[in-house]
Amino acid sequence: MQIKDIVKTKGSTVFSIHPDKTVKDAIDMLLEFNIGSLLVVEDAHPVGIFTERDSLRICSEQAEQLKSIRIGEVMTSELIIGRLEDDVASVMHVMTEKRIRHLPIIEEGYVAGMVSIGDLVKSQHDENELTIHYLKDYITGNDMR
């Protein structure tokens, strides 16, 4: 299975924010859309990511300034990305190794989608369930061929 299969099922909607918006704006969006991350986009290109973890760090360190801190000042700017053709297992490995939960999918410089570690786990679970189903049918002689 490839990332493009997950993006196709999940959809390519990605919530984003401009780096000049405030942390308060970002937290409001995370809550409004019940999401865990926002891709930071400037001139239609991803420049960073702002996650729940970033917001917690800022809340702990600078709670009184949340309405004035710009996203560009606190986002994670070393963006780790995936591609539509990437294999789910390899992407899961990268996400686990880098300890990230959200991965922007970029194709030809543009955002094609966003996957979470939960999306990857679900896709592997679904694939395993299908394999188990077919193996059970084969073993019990219920093979539909």
Side-chain angles (χ1 to χ4, degrees):
M1 180 173 280
Q2 294 179 315
I3 293 298
K4 67 181 174 184
D5 301 317
I6 295 174
V7 171
K8 184 178 179 181
T9 301
K10 180 182 178 177
S12 60
T13 300
V14 175
F15 292 93
S16 64
I17 192 165
H18 192 273
D20 286 337
K21 293 289 187 177
T22 68
V23 170
K24 173 76 167 80
D25 294 330
I27 291 172
D28 288 346
M29 286 181 69
L30 293 174
L31 293 171
E32 178 182 350
F33 298 110
N34 195 28
I35 54 176
S37 68
L38 292 166
L39 194 59
V40 183
V41 176
E42 187 170 21
D43 297 326
H45 296 289
V47 295
I49 191 166
F50 185 82
T51 67
E52 295 167 318
R53 192 171 295 163
D54 293 324
S55 66
L56 289 173
R57 182 177 35 80
I58 298 303
C59 286
S60 174
E61 296 170 358
Q62 303 174 38
E64 67 285 345
Q65 299 171 341
L66 292 182
K67 291 183 179 180
S68 62
I69 300 169
R70 290 179 43 249
I71 289 295
E73 298 170 20
V74 295
M75 69 183 182
T76 301
S77 58
E78 294 181 23
L79 200 55
I80 299 168
I81 63 166
R83 306 246 181 252
L84 289 172
E85 301 302 320
D86 288 346
D87 180 77
V88 170
S90 65
V91 169
M92 186 176 277
H93 174 76
V94 168
M95 291 177 76
T96 301
E97 183 180 285
K98 300 292 186 181
R99 299 181 54 86
I100 59 174
R101 295 181 294 167
H102 304 92
L103 187 74
I105 306 303
I106 309 296
E107 285 300 323
E108 298 179 13
Y110 294 96
V111 180
M114 176 88 82
V115 295
S116 70
I117 197 73
D119 296 328
L120 301 181
V121 169
K122 181 184 181 314
S123 78
Q124 283 200 324
H125 175 268
D126 293 349
E127 189 173 341
N128 290 343
E129 287 291 315
L130 188 62
T131 301
I132 289 168
H133 172 77
Y134 285 124
L135 287 173
K136 282 182 179 177
D137 283 352
Y138 178 77
I139 291 169
T140 61
N142 293 331
D143 190 11
M144 300 299 278
R145 284 189 265 160

